[in-house]
């Protein structure tokens, strides 16, 4: 790889503002993580779109495959207790 | 490395600005930024990688912004009422107060990173002092610019490390670039006796980490930028920058 | 005057765009309507997407040149700053699109190699020269305007990464078109020489910008027939939403009133409002010229590609150095651990 000078691909995640999670915004090429972070700042936050950036080498991401989707995500469909609407709350309780 | 500078910068800022603000000093700070932005603008579409087009574009835009803020203030301070464009497009070569380092023609990428490293290391110290300027506008521009230039210095640092410790070719080019810019450094030093040692210390630490040797003392060095004496390259730079504006006197754009 | 009195200036400022953004950010989209990178997809769908995204990315990168040509000569510092930001944005657009293409398993370096070898195309519009400052205005107003018209529907493209890149791009393009309009507005109200400069630029850029929508979809000739079947397939796949001619008509309808506001004449004697159609009629486009420039015989084809190649070749030692540094330091890091 270093022989041809090709730079690896990094995935970029930006936290839009405090209180939000980092969200995937795209990718870019950089020789290493240090430069990837700087390139990401210049590319994905030119208009103050973020307060924090993560860069991750694309190669280290393990993704679920679409065929596995049912076994991966359907079980969570049962776990309604994870969702706030599962709980009945007396009417006079505010700010939950 | 940078912390050592802050205390000294404050002291120097106070002494420099014991009296009134000298518009010519502010003009030097403005012209450095304007002329260097002009050179950096030449890189767009020519950088080694598209990501670097973005980075150099950002640095150029930051400097152009600093130049505009400072030029506008100069026109008020010197009592001529000239706006940023009058100052940028209607002054002749002898009236420009930039150091000669920034007017040097665009070289290879190693040359640009050597220039950017030395330039931003010195500018950062100058700006830290200007944050204490008795002139609120200048202090305000400097306050914003300090953050920008710290980033420029970091960008150059990252590249000098990589080119110095990259391939044989990059190392040779980086070393040559340091030789090429060396004659232009005394102008930066003379300009800021207090900040210069801090800037030098910073750059030398970067060069050491990159395994790059300090270039031998140059036999000649550039002088006169701050009094309006420039190199042959300056006339061409201004011809290009000013031509269109001057062809249509009084027009708005 | 910044053009804000003129109402929507471009497609990114219309309901169409607002609606797309709404769908995206309001989370109303049914995820199943979008194809995502690891989904199974027909090979031809994938190939079409890769080709289209690559050409689109190349256009952004090559498109930096005609305007970049004026950065060092911009007539005011404000204009210089705006132009630098715009050209830099175009670099960003190129990167967003290469990034989207790479989700389909191609490398940017592969795509660039094809561009440099002349094996993949970029938008022919960038083979025209920028002869005066007014060309920067005309490009912003007409070329970015036409690009937005083409791109807004792509925000709903069936391929997720492409659609997301387009949302980001359209948001930024709107500023591009406005600054172009503002340049022409100022010139048209300036000195006689400035007014002439503006009119001359519009004369030269009007027809090429209409060509940006591609050849007619009607199968009147060999090329047309090919275009028609291509359009049909892309529409079936949800890559394309409107026919070339429909988008072209929308662009003409949107632009004619703007030209009137500017006080500049569009160089088409056949341009007239058709009460019957509810659209502006316009004259015959010189498709000979279109195919000629596409085929390589435009004023700047060779120059644009040479410029791009030179930047790439001169940058090789830098890219290699950075990669070598990264490899050394990765190795050292492992040694230390
Ligand atoms: Fe663009
Ligand atoms: Fe654009």
């Amino acid at each position: 790889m270093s022989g041809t000078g090709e730079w690896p691909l990094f995935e970029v995640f930006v936290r839009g503002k405090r209180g939000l999670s980092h969200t995937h915004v795209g990718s870019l090429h950089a020789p290493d993580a240090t430069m990837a972070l700087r390139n990401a700042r210049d590319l994905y936050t030119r208009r103050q779109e973020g307060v924090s950036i993560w860069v991750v080498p694309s190669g280290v991401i393990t993704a679920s495959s679409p065929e596995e989707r049912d076994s991966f995500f359907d079980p969570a469909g049962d776990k309604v207790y994870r969702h706030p609407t599962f709980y009945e709350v007396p009417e006079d309780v505010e700010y939950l | 490395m940078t912390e050592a500078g802050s205390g000294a910068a404050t002291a120097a800022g106070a002494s420099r600005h014991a009296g009134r603000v000298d518009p010519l000093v502010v003009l030097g700070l403005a012209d450095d930024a304007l002329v260097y932005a002009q050179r950096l603008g030449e890189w767009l579409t020519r950088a080694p990688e598209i990501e670097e087009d973005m980075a150099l574009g950002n640095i150029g835009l930051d400097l152009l912004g600093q130049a505009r803020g400072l030029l506008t203030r100069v026109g008020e301070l010197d009592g001529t009422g000239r706006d940023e464009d009058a100052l940028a497009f209607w002054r002749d070569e002898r009236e420009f107060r930039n150091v000669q380092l920034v007017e040097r023609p665009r070289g290879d990428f190693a040359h640009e990173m050597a220039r950017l490293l030395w330039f931003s290391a010195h500018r950062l110290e100058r700006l830290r002092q200007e944050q204490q300027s008795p002139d609120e506008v200048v202090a305000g521009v400097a306050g914003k610019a300090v953050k920008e230039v710290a980033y420029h210095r970091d960008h150059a640092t990252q590249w000098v490390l990589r080119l110095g410790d990259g391939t044989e070719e990059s190392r040779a080019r980086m070393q040559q670039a340091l030789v090429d810019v060396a004659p232009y450094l005394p102008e930066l030093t003379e300009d800021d006796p207090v900040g210069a040692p801090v800037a030098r210390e910073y750059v030398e630490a970067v060069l050491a980490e990159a395994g790059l040797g300090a270039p031998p003392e140059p036999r000649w060095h550039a002088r006169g930028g701050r009094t309006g004496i420039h190199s042959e390259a300056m006339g061409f730079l201004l011809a290009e920058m000013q031509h269109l504006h001057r062809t249509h006197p009084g027009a708005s754009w | 005057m910044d053009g804000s009195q003129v109402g929507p200036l471009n497609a990114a400022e219309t309901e169409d765009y607002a609606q797309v953004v709404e769908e995206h950010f309001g989370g109303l989209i049914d995820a199943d309507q979008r194809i995502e990178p690891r989904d199974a997809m027909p090979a031809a769908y994938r190939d079409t997407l890769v080709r289209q995204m690559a050409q689109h990315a190349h256009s952004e990168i090559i498109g930096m040149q005609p305007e970049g040509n004026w950065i060092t000569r911009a007539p005011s510092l404000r204009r210089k700053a705006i132009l630098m930001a715009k050209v830099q944005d175009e670099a960003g657009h190129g990167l967003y699109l290469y990034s989207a293409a790479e989700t389909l398993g191609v490398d940017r370096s592969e795509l660039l190699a094809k561009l440099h070898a002349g094996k993949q195309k970029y938008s022919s519009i960038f083979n025209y020269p920028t002869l005066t400052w007014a060309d920067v205005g005309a490009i912003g107003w007409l070329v970015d305007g036409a690009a937005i018209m083409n791109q807004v529907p792509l925000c709903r493209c069936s391929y997720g990464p492409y659609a997301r890149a387009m949302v980001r791009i359209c948001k930024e393009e709107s500023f591009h078109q406005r600054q172009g309009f503002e340049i022409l507005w100022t010139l048209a109200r300036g000195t006689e020489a400035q007014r002439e400069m503006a009119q001359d630029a519009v004369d030269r850029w009007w027809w090429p910008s209409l060509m940006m929508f591609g050849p007619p979809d009607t199968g009147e000739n060999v090329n047309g027939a090919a275009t028609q079947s291509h359009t049909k397939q892309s529409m079936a796949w949800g890559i394309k939403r409107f026919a070339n001619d429909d988008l072209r008509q929308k662009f003409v309808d949107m632009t004619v009133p703007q030209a009137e506001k500017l006080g500049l004449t569009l160089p088409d004697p056949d341009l007239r409002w058709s009460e019957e159609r509810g659209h502006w009629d316009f004259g015959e486009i010189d498709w000979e010229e279109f195919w000629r420039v596409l085929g390589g015989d435009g004023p700047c084809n060779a120059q644009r590609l040479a410029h791009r190649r030179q930047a790439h070749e001169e940058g090789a030692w830098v890219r290699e150095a950075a990669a070598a540094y990264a490899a050394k330091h990765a190795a050292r890091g492992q040694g230390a651990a």
Side-chain angles (χ1 to χ4, degrees):
Chain A
M1 176 172 276
S2 59
T4 59
E6 297 308 333
W7 293 352
L9 194 64
F10 288 82
E11 300 299 325
V12 181
F13 300 78
V14 172
R15 185 197 295 286
K17 54 182 170 200
R18 292 181 177 281
L20 298 180
S21 311
H22 284 77
T23 306
H24 183 245
V25 291
S27 63
L28 51 73
H29 287 268
D32 52 50
T34 307
M35 293 306 285
L37 205 51
R38 283 157 179 78
N39 292 346
R41 167 205 187 255
D42 289 336
L43 179 57
Y44 289 104
T45 66
R46 291 201 299 300
R47 290 176 169 77
Q48 293 166 321
E49 291 100 331
V51 295
S52 159
I53 303 173
W54 291 345
V55 290
V56 182
S58 307
V60 305
I61 292 180
T62 308
S64 64
S65 73
E67 300 80 65
E68 290 164 346
R69 187 171 55 192
D70 290 352
S71 56
F72 246 78
F73 301 112
D74 278 3
D78 305 334
K79 299 184 178 60
V80 288
Y81 49 81
R82 287 190 186 279
H83 298 278
T85 46
F86 176 73
Y87 302 94
E88 264 186 307
V89 173
E91 303 234 308
D92 54 347
V93 180
E94 286 180 65
Y95 304 119
L96 259 183
Chain B
M1 244 181 283
T2 55
E3 290 318 304
S6 309
T10 310
S15 71
R16 178 187 293 273
H17 297 298
R20 281 180 53 247
V21 177
D22 181 353
L24 283 182
V25 172
V26 181
L27 190 59
L29 212 53
D31 284 344
D32 282 352
L34 176 62
V35 172
Y36 199 18
Q38 179 76 3
R39 284 295 183 220
L40 287 167
E42 296 172 11
W43 274 100
L44 274 165
T45 72
R46 295 185 178 90
E49 188 53 285
I50 305 165
E51 277 84 355
E52 197 57 29
D53 277 307
M54 306 287 305
L56 295 175
N58 263 352
I59 295 171
L61 274 171
D62 285 345
L63 290 174
L64 187 52
Q66 294 172 21
R68 295 179 64 194
L70 293 170
L71 285 176
T72 302
R73 189 57 181 152
V74 167
E76 293 161 0
L77 288 173
D78 71 5
T80 59
R82 287 175 292 181
D83 66 10
E84 58 178 37
D85 287 338
L87 284 162
F89 296 103
W90 289 103
R91 275 183 301 153
D92 290 335
E93 186 173 324
R94 289 293 172 97
E95 299 167 86
F96 275 81
R97 301 284 159 166
N98 57 283
V99 294
Q100 292 187 16
L101 175 68
V102 294
E103 72 203 36
R104 278 177 60 85
R106 190 175 71 91
D108 70 2
F109 189 68
H111 173 268
E112 204 55 82
M113 290 304 107
R115 163 155 71 177
L116 184 62
L117 181 62
W118 279 112
F119 176 75
S120 46
H122 278 91
R123 188 170 180 83
L124 185 57
E125 297 311 318
R126 276 297 312 277
L127 289 168
R128 283 189 171 136
Q129 294 161 26
E130 296 300 336
Q131 284 182 286
Q132 265 71 49
S133 170
D135 186 85
E136 271 180 36
V137 179
V138 173
V141 173
K144 181 166 181 285
V146 157
K147 292 179 213 139
E148 295 169 346
V149 174
Y151 188 82
H152 306 168
R153 190 182 70 166
D154 176 70
H155 189 77
T157 301
Q158 297 303 331
W159 271 115
V160 170
L161 291 176
R162 279 159 185 75
L163 298 181
D165 191 15
T167 61
E168 233 168 86
E169 179 180 7
S170 72
R171 177 182 186 71
R173 282 181 184 257
M174 197 62 237
Q175 195 68 62
Q176 183 58 46
L178 292 170
V179 172
D180 292 345
V181 302
Y184 298 87
L185 303 179
E187 272 203 292
L188 293 172
T189 313
E190 285 156 23
D191 195 43
D192 180 12
V194 177
V198 186
R200 173 168 288 272
E201 194 188 327
Y202 177 87
V203 173
E204 281 173 353
V206 172
L207 300 185
E209 193 183 336
L212 292 159
E217 271 310 307
R219 267 198 254 169
W220 75 280
H221 71 82
R223 37 174 79 80
R226 289 281 186 249
T227 55
I229 305 299
H230 295 283
S231 61
E232 289 179 345
M234 187 66 173
F236 290 98
L237 181 144
L238 291 181
E240 186 171 350
M241 184 173 90
Q242 296 178 331
H243 158 260
L244 175 59
H245 186 95
R246 288 192 178 201
T247 307
H248 302 267
S252 350
W253 300 96
Chain C
M1 160 78 205
D2 61 357
S4 58
Q5 304 143 27
V6 201
L9 262 188
N10 55 66
E13 295 177 5
T14 61
E15 272 303 298
D16 287 0
Y17 179 63
Q19 203 185 325
V20 174
V21 174
E22 181 115 323
E23 282 178 23
H24 252 273
F25 297 109
L28 298 174
I29 266 185
D30 177 355
D32 290 337
Q33 287 179 349
R34 288 285 190 276
I35 309 298
E36 293 295 344
R38 285 164 52 103
D39 286 334
M41 61 186 84
Y45 174 83
R46 180 186 174 281
D47 293 348
T48 301
L49 272 170
V50 169
R51 196 181 337 107
Q52 188 174 329
M53 286 191 279
Q55 285 187 13
H56 196 158
H58 299 333
S59 302
E60 302 282 356
I61 298 304
I62 296 288
M64 295 165 70
Q65 289 180 35
E67 288 181 289
N69 182 28
W70 282 92
I71 289 175
T72 55
R73 293 177 290 167
S76 73
L77 295 187
R78 175 170 173 269
R79 290 289 172 209
K80 193 190 285 287
I82 292 172
L83 186 58
M84 269 178 99
K86 182 184 189 259
V87 173
Q88 195 205 23
D89 270 352
E90 305 299 6
H93 297 172
L95 291 179
Y96 300 155
L97 287 159
Y98 286 125
S99 161
E102 286 187 294
T103 61
L104 289 173
V106 289
D107 271 357
R108 189 212 293 178
S109 57
E110 256 172 72
L111 301 176
L112 282 174
K114 283 185 182 155
L115 169 68
H116 297 155
K119 286 183 186 151
Q120 270 178 348
K121 302 235 176 275
Y122 54 87
S123 179
S124 241
I125 191 84
F126 300 119
N127 291 319
Y128 291 88
T130 45
L131 301 178
T132 74
W133 169 253
D135 289 28
V136 175
I139 289 185
W141 178 45
L142 295 173
V143 176
D144 285 278
I148 302 171
M149 186 59 79
N150 269 328
Q151 291 170 358
V152 161
L154 287 172
C155 296
R156 307 157 80 159
C157 162
S158 60
Y159 188 57
Y162 194 18
R164 290 190 287 275
M166 290 319 307
V167 168
R168 205 169 245 281
I169 288 173
C170 285
K171 205 191 287 179
E172 300 183 357
E173 286 293 353
S174 190
F175 138 65
H176 295 181
Q177 202 240 2
R178 278 190 172 263
Q179 64 86 37
F181 185 86
E182 194 195 61
I183 288 176
L184 292 178
W185 177 272
T186 312
L187 293 178
R189 274 144 199 79
T191 64
E192 188 51 33
Q194 284 179 307
R195 221 202 63 79
E196 275 170 24
M197 194 192 284
Q199 184 60 56
D200 166 63
V202 169
D203 288 347
R204 283 180 290 110
W205 288 93
W206 171 249
W207 289 109
S209 70
L210 291 190
M211 295 176 196
M212 284 175 69
F213 296 92
D217 314 273
T218 51
E220 283 161 3
N221 54 38
V222 183
N223 290 325
T227 309
Q228 187 181 33
S229 74
H230 187 78
T231 297
K232 255 191 189 155
Q233 181 57 266
S234 284
M235 282 182 151
W237 278 332
I239 296 175
K240 200 174 162 76
R241 299 276 176 185
F242 299 98
N244 294 349
D245 289 323
D246 294 345
L247 287 171
R248 186 166 16 245
Q249 182 68 60
K250 267 184 150 181
F251 176 71
V252 172
D253 290 349
M254 186 175 260
T255 309
V256 172
Q258 293 177 12
E260 282 170 5
K261 282 248 158 58
L262 285 172
L264 296 172
T265 311
L266 296 173
D268 179 358
D270 297 326
L271 206 56
R272 60 180 58 85
W273 176 253
S274 159
E275 207 59 68
E276 183 191 342
R277 293 200 307 126
H279 291 291
W280 286 87
D281 288 339
F282 54 97
E284 193 64 38
I285 293 172
D286 182 358
W287 292 110
E288 290 281 307
E289 177 183 327
F290 174 80
W291 294 112
R292 194 177 70 233
V293 176
L294 192 72
D297 185 9
C300 298
N301 296 56
Q303 177 189 332
R304 300 285 184 242
L305 214 49
H307 182 113
R308 176 61 220 152
R309 267 197 222 114
Q310 190 185 354
H312 189 75
E313 282 159 17
E314 285 178 357
W317 70 270
V318 178
R319 297 191 300 275
E320 279 162 22
Y325 174 92
K328 277 189 219 175
H329 283 255
R332 271 179 225 163
Q334 276 169 5

